[in-house]
Amino acid sequence: MEKIKKIGVLTSGGDAPGMNAAVRSVVRTAVYNGIEVMGIRKGYNGLINGDIFEMNARSVSETLQRGGTVLQTARSKEFATPEGVARAAEIAKIFGIEGLVVIGGDGSFRGARDLAKAGIRTIGIPATIDNDIGCTEYCIGYDTALNTVKDAIDKIRDTASSHERSSVIEVMGRDAGYIAVMAGIACGAEAVIIPEKKFDFDEDVLRPIIEGKNRGKSHYLVIVAEGVGGALEMAEEIEKRTGIETTATILGHIQRGGSPTVDDRVYASEMGLKAVEALMEGKSNRLIVMQDHKITDIDIDEGLAMKKEMNPDLIRLCKIMSW
Ligand code: F6P
């Protein structure tokens, strides 16, 4: 097998803290192994438009501690078409890019699979704060986002319990409730409302608040995943029905920013290294994943077919801890 000479790296979809650590790892692993590495700006759009530049070990200095992605990112509509994929593959070939590392979520991996079919070797690295990729226990950015959410909710709690208020807090996660459930456990929520589980407002929201009050609580926290939404309306309804003053906070994009945690830096570094090594071994159409707490690689199509199930024990834990 001929040694791979030149690879590319891009970040795609929503940015996630730790993406820079993954880019840095890809670049330095490639340079260490004598492989040329090209940075592609703004995701697949940059590939289609030839927004490509040569990187070296110093191009990624001072990036490890930064949130966002220094390569910038995009959700490319053009790349979602067969013409877009063909054009991207052609541009990659013109630049001599034999293998591409794609850092992003499942939409980005569908793109990586299409590019692999068009003759460019691809390896995906999971990065999304939503942690909603079925084939991996860990996604870059999730840990940092959870810590940001934890900090924000702890602060809201300080003021809310001083006033004996109830707080409804809406967190991100797209169609998944992982951020909501983990924040519920870490911050002590009375109720966690997620898209994976049907809810009844009286039973699942009002009742824990009223019972909590009767047990002597001074603050009532409801975490709503954005996939359910409606935090403002929910707060109004709680106040109307219980008489407890209730505020609503939508945390929004603050959850996506900030310096990555140690976990996000370390796992992103490990995944970047594995991705380049996979390309060196001649692999393509693979995803770097964490399974049973080990970093390994699996087929993209198999990975995309796997669905993540919410662990009911986590929901139970949250409920019992709120007693
Ligand atoms: O996928 C990450 C995420 O932050 C989701 O939680 C959220 O639904 C979405 O991206 C927001 O996207 P945008 O930044 O394009 O508004």
Side-chain angles (χ1 to χ4, degrees):
M1 186 179 57
E2 218 186 302
K3 186 177 176 293
I4 192 161
K5 288 191 273 311
K6 197 190 264 191
I7 66 167
V9 57
L10 62 79
T11 50
S12 165
D15 60 288
M19 275 183 162
N20 288 330
V23 171
R24 173 178 176 269
S25 171
V26 168
V27 171
R28 292 202 175 159
T29 306
V31 172
Y32 181 83
N33 287 289
I35 300 167
E36 278 183 71
V37 56
M38 308 298 282
I40 298 155
R41 292 191 190 91
K42 300 177 191 169
Y44 291 116
N45 280 347
L47 187 53
I48 290 171
N49 299 324
D51 195 350
I52 298 171
F53 64 105
E54 208 174 313
M55 297 183 87
N56 59 42
R58 293 286 71 72
S59 323
V60 286
S61 296
E62 306 298 330
T63 61
L64 184 60
Q65 75 283 13
R66 287 168 59 186
T69 160
V70 290
L71 289 179
Q72 298 187 282
T73 185
R75 304 188 203 275
S76 176
K77 288 210 174 76
E78 196 181 347
F79 186 72
T81 65
E83 297 75 32
V85 174
R87 172 121 183 98
E90 193 186 311
I91 300 287
K93 283 176 193 158
I94 290 170
F95 277 82
I97 294 170
E98 299 161 78
L100 180 67
V101 179
V102 173
I103 304 165
D106 48 7
S108 312
F109 300 151
R110 278 189 277 277
R113 173 198 57 196
D114 295 346
L115 264 184
K117 284 194 185 124
I120 305 297
R121 281 194 245 161
T122 55
I123 307 287
I125 295 181
T128 163
I129 65 161
D130 303 335
N131 196 34
D132 59 351
I133 300 176
C135 55
T136 182
E137 288 153 17
Y138 164 80
C139 296
I140 295 169
Y142 177 56
D143 189 57
T144 305
L146 276 181
N147 278 284
T148 302
V149 169
K150 180 263 297 166
D151 288 346
I153 295 181
D154 284 353
K155 285 175 180 150
I156 292 169
R157 175 184 282 279
D158 285 345
T159 161
S161 55
S162 304
H163 288 266
E164 287 195 56
R165 285 177 178 147
S166 163
S167 324
V168 179
I169 295 162
E170 189 172 308
V171 298
M172 275 187 169
R174 201 178 289 277
D175 301 320
Y178 299 101
I179 295 179
V181 169
M182 295 301 272
I185 296 167
C187 302
E190 270 55 52
V192 176
I193 308 300
I194 55 172
E196 290 88 341
K197 194 171 178 288
K198 273 211 175 104
F199 82 103
D200 177 90
F201 183 73
D202 285 14
E203 184 60 27
D204 300 318
V205 179
L206 289 185
R207 190 178 165 136
I209 292 176
I210 294 164
E211 287 185 351
K213 188 174 183 194
N214 292 342
R215 285 197 302 273
K217 290 196 170 198
S218 60
H219 172 235
Y220 320 94
L221 174 62
V222 179
I223 301 182
V224 190
E226 70 165 338
V228 176
L232 300 176
E233 296 75 15
M234 205 176 273
E236 270 173 26
E237 193 64 12
I238 292 170
E239 185 161 320
K240 198 166 94 195
R241 304 268 302 274
T242 63
I244 299 168
E245 200 183 337
T246 305
T247 62
T249 309
I250 298 172
L251 292 183
H253 285 83
I254 194 170
Q255 296 162 93
R256 284 247 294 271
S259 180
T261 57
V262 171
D263 270 5
D264 278 332
R265 295 180 196 198
V266 172
Y267 293 135
S269 302
E270 233 183 301
M271 287 181 155
L273 178 135
K274 286 272 185 198
V276 176
E277 286 181 348
L279 286 173
M280 288 166 67
E281 286 161 24
K283 292 182 178 173
S284 179
N285 201 42
R286 308 288 291 176
L287 287 182
I288 307 298
V289 295
M290 183 188 281
Q291 289 180 347
D292 297 327
H293 219 72
K294 282 201 189 76
I295 308 286
T296 181
D297 63 277
I298 63 164
D299 178 78
I300 291 191
D301 298 274
E302 274 173 33
L304 285 173
M306 289 167 77
K307 214 177 153 325
K308 204 166 217 169
E309 300 291 345
M310 177 60 70
N311 178 354
D313 285 347
L314 293 176
I315 298 173
R316 201 167 62 89
L317 175 65
C318 194
K319 197 178 167 82
I320 296 172
M321 288 305 107
S322 75
W323 211 251

